[in-house]
Amino acid sequence: MKKEKFKFSVIIPIYNVEDYIGETLDSLIAQTIGFEENMQVILVNDGSPDNSEKVCLEYKEKYPKNITYIKKENGGVSSARNEGMKHIEGKYVNFLDSDDLWEENAFEVAYNFLEENEDIDLVSAKIKFFGAREGVNHPLNFKYVEDRVVDLDEDYNYIQMSSVTAFIRASALKGEFSTKLKYAEDSLFINKILLEKKKYGVIGSTHYLYRKREDGSSALDNSLKNKNYYLNVIEYFHKELISYCNENYGEVPKFIQFTMMYDLQWKVKSKLLEGVLTEEEKEEFKIKIKEVLQSIDDQIIFDQKQLNNEFKEEALLLKYGEISNRLKVDDSRIYFDDTILYSLKKRIVISILETNENVITLAGYLNIPLSQEKVELIYNIDGEDKKVSFDKLDFGQFHSIDKKIHRVRYFSFKEKIKNNSNIYFKLKVNGEESDKLPLRFNYLAKLNNSYRLYYLNENKMIKYKKKTIIVEKATK
């Protein structure tokens, strides 16, 4: 590495960005830290077939001391960044995407933070989307409430997966970007750096401006349609990172587990697999995920805020193969071991479709776990337990990597009633019964969640009280 001549080196791979690269470079030239005095820009033309080179050379002509221009055969973003790293002359490094921008105070804020915190090697900035996703908040932006140093052993969910939003000490750079990966290559690169000190800085007082292209042509837009997003990422990101941790640290730290599960959750719940992977490839994919999940603690699975309960359960099913014997019920919750898998409050929705002097017809639906062979819905009428039989019709289906999951199951039944009849519901899990379950009433029910009484006729009224549907003699 050459002697430091600048405070920052910014490496930008160039490929088919003639419409964007000028704006990207302008955002650097406008930096309050002082572009000409403090910043080196390394433009790596990765065999771009458009007019990107012309734009790059125009800027190099204006700023010959600041801009280094390299042209190479096409090899992908990793090879371009690796080539760029050979020319670093700055104390700190940023890997900027060629269609994105930095707010004008970004480099000044990052420099001051890193100079004041010499015990960290990296600081990252908050993402702000613009273009087609303007106004959308990134799921990891919760980290940036204040500018501070994060201890990853304590805040293991404060993960960093992006190199473009990070400023890194050049002296801390480790190895190269993996050319085996087209996706997640920067996550692998950045986390090998984080593993050294297990802490880094977060700054919410400036933003990385991430362009979501209107034409949907970015790498992220196309990733879900590419086999490499599923198969190669598991092999060369997840499994590579697990091996790296075990070989160098003797364990897989929780923040690395969280990083892998955060990435994995988008693949577990993908709806696009049917048109991307063959049946044989899907089986291979499931086997690879199962292997990765062995290195991820159950609690890390439960901690994923973007993963709903059905998919968390499927992750457990993929990990263990069978989990029904580890489910238990308590009040309105189903537990996996000692962790809540489902809260059953508001999960039973009831309609009272028909009533007459002697018969009530009840219908509804219930969200129940995938391991439903061990979970039964019971209704009790006048002290007698009866098992609910679910209809064949399923509602609310969606695709996962393994199968079509039935999130909601219909049921209906008729029962004779009399004055003082009582009906309530409960769950039975592995033979263990819950307490009475709370009910919700939909628009077809004559009862509702605020008005919980109606008159059936001059002799009977029906009301809902203490989680129970009650038939009583009408009062005048």
Side-chain angles (χ1 to χ4, degrees):
M1 187 179 296
K2 296 181 180 180
K3 184 180 179 182
E4 296 169 4
K5 290 174 57 178
F6 301 94
K7 290 179 179 177
F8 287 97
S9 291
V10 184
I11 297 173
I12 308 177
I14 306 295
Y15 190 83
N16 276 353
V17 287
E18 60 178 302
D19 294 333
Y20 308 108
I21 184 59
E23 188 179 2
T24 297
L25 291 171
D26 287 341
S27 80
L28 298 179
I29 294 166
Q31 289 298 309
T32 58
I33 199 171
F35 177 74
E36 293 188 63
E37 301 85 358
N38 298 307
M39 296 178 64
Q40 174 198 23
V41 177
I42 304 168
L43 301 174
V44 184
N45 184 337
D46 190 38
S48 182
D50 68 348
N51 289 320
S52 293
E53 180 177 57
K54 179 182 177 182
V55 180
C56 291
L57 291 175
E58 288 174 355
Y59 276 86
K60 178 173 172 54
E61 186 176 355
K62 290 180 184 178
Y63 303 96
K65 295 181 180 180
N66 300 89
I67 295 178
T68 301
Y69 179 74
I70 303 159
K71 188 172 183 179
K72 60 182 284 296
E73 291 184 1
N74 180 255
V77 65
S78 290
S79 69
R81 287 172 177 165
N82 292 339
E83 182 62 36
M85 283 196 286
K86 298 174 184 177
H87 303 270
I88 290 171
E89 297 182 59
K91 184 175 182 180
Y92 303 110
V93 180
N94 171 243
F95 298 92
L96 176 60
D97 277 348
S98 51
D99 55 352
D100 295 339
L101 315 172
W102 277 109
E103 285 188 342
E104 63 182 20
N105 69 332
F107 285 78
E108 183 176 7
V109 171
Y111 182 80
N112 291 337
F113 193 96
L114 285 164
E115 290 291 300
E116 292 169 7
N117 296 277
E118 295 183 353
D119 59 333
I120 63 171
D121 293 327
L122 182 152
V123 64
S124 77
K126 191 174 184 178
I127 291 177
K128 179 189 279 187
F129 290 105
F130 72 104
R133 290 187 68 183
E134 187 168 356
V136 176
N137 193 38
H138 192 281
L140 294 178
N141 275 353
F142 74 90
K143 300 186 295 184
Y144 303 98
V145 175
E146 59 180 344
D147 295 4
R148 72 181 184 97
V149 174
V150 172
D151 184 336
L152 286 166
D153 282 332
E154 294 181 5
D155 296 316
Y156 58 81
N157 61 324
Y158 278 53
I159 58 173
Q160 178 68 22
M161 302 186 71
S162 164
S163 64
V164 298
T165 63
F167 300 90
I168 311 164
R169 292 187 192 276
S171 59
L173 295 175
K174 294 178 68 67
E176 297 184 329
F177 288 86
S178 173
T179 55
K180 294 178 180 179
L181 287 165
K182 291 186 177 180
Y183 311 99
E185 74 288 335
D186 53 343
S187 295
L188 180 63
F189 182 83
I190 210 79
N191 276 282
K192 287 183 176 180
I193 295 172
L194 291 174
L195 278 161
E196 284 294 302
K197 295 183 176 177
K198 298 182 183 177
K199 56 183 178 178
Y200 74 106
V202 290
I203 47 176
S205 50
T206 191
H207 292 87
Y208 182 86
L209 305 178
Y210 188 109
R211 186 191 303 271
K212 180 73 171 177
R213 298 186 194 177
E214 299 287 347
D215 61 4
S217 62
S218 68
L220 183 61
D221 290 320
N222 295 320
S223 63
L224 294 177
K225 305 169 189 176
N226 193 305
K227 291 183 180 184
N228 288 327
Y229 177 74
Y230 303 97
L231 299 174
N232 280 25
V233 171
I234 298 295
E235 188 68 30
Y236 298 116
F237 170 52
H238 291 268
K239 295 177 76 173
E240 161 67 21
L241 197 51
I242 291 169
S243 296
Y244 182 86
C245 289
N246 285 328
E247 290 172 7
N248 292 279
Y249 304 97
E251 65 174 357
V252 181
K254 284 188 175 182
F255 82 91
I256 296 295
Q257 294 181 39
F258 200 98
T259 298
M260 292 190 298
M261 191 63 215
Y262 178 88
D263 178 73
L264 202 59
Q265 67 178 313
W266 312 111
K267 297 170 176 60
V268 171
K269 65 182 180 182
S270 172
K271 298 179 181 179
L272 301 177
L273 281 169
E274 292 301 320
V276 179
L277 301 184
T278 65
E279 291 302 315
E280 184 177 346
E281 287 169 336
K282 281 194 285 185
E283 288 305 311
E284 177 190 351
F285 184 50
K286 285 187 285 184
I287 291 170
K288 288 179 183 291
I289 288 181
K290 182 179 178 71
E291 292 172 356
V292 171
L293 287 169
Q294 305 312 306
S295 296
I296 298 177
D297 294 344
D298 296 342
Q299 189 58 53
I300 300 295
I301 297 173
F302 286 113
D303 285 346
Q304 302 303 315
K305 295 185 182 300
Q306 283 76 42
L307 197 61
N308 65 29
N309 289 332
E310 283 78 14
F311 283 116
K312 289 176 183 177
E313 185 179 6
E314 185 170 9
L316 293 170
L317 285 166
L318 283 168
K319 181 177 179 179
Y320 294 109
E322 169 63 44
I323 66 169
S324 59
N325 60 335
R326 297 171 66 177
L327 300 180
K328 62 181 181 180
V329 65
D330 177 27
D331 191 20
S332 296
R333 298 180 179 91
I334 293 179
Y335 290 80
F336 175 78
D337 293 340
D338 295 321
T339 303
I340 297 172
L341 181 59
Y342 292 96
S343 176
L344 293 160
K345 292 180 179 179
K346 299 183 179 180
R347 279 185 169 261
I348 302 180
V349 179
I350 292 287
S351 300
I352 300 176
L353 297 179
E354 181 182 324
T355 54
N356 57 38
E357 283 282 348
N358 301 309
V359 176
I360 186 170
T361 302
L362 292 174
Y365 56 86
L366 168 69
N367 287 281
I368 55 177
L370 307 182
S371 315
Q372 58 195 36
E373 69 277 3
K374 296 289 185 179
V375 180
E376 298 176 293
L377 179 61
I378 305 294
Y379 70 95
N380 181 289
I381 179 165
D382 299 334
E384 182 182 357
D385 283 351
K386 297 188 178 184
K387 182 179 177 180
V388 171
S389 296
F390 291 106
D391 298 340
K392 291 183 179 180
L393 180 65
D394 297 306
F395 173 77
Q397 301 173 348
F398 60 92
H399 286 281
S400 67
I401 67 162
D402 198 22
K403 52 185 167 296
K404 190 174 287 187
I405 300 173
H406 307 303
R407 297 173 59 189
V408 184
R409 300 300 301 273
Y410 277 127
F411 61 87
S412 60
F413 58 87
K414 295 182 178 182
E415 280 290 348
K416 291 184 178 180
I417 54 172
K418 56 188 178 184
N419 286 345
N420 302 317
S421 281
N422 291 267
I423 302 171
Y424 63 85
F425 290 82
K426 56 188 177 180
L427 277 183
K428 184 180 287 187
V429 179
N430 292 327
E432 180 183 353
E433 291 186 359
S434 72
D435 294 337
K436 294 179 182 179
L437 298 176
L439 305 179
R440 292 175 63 205
F441 299 94
N442 74 1
Y443 69 97
L444 294 173
K446 295 181 173 66
L447 297 173
N448 61 53
N449 295 315
S450 57
Y451 185 71
R452 299 189 172 193
L453 181 149
Y454 80 94
Y455 284 88
L456 174 57
N457 53 44
E458 61 181 11
N459 297 316
K460 287 186 177 70
M461 63 181 182
I462 296 177
K463 63 182 181 180
Y464 179 65
K465 184 178 181 181
K466 295 181 178 180
K467 304 178 184 177
T468 303
I469 297 171
I470 302 169
V471 182
E472 289 187 352
K473 186 177 180 179
T475 57
K476 295 182 179 180

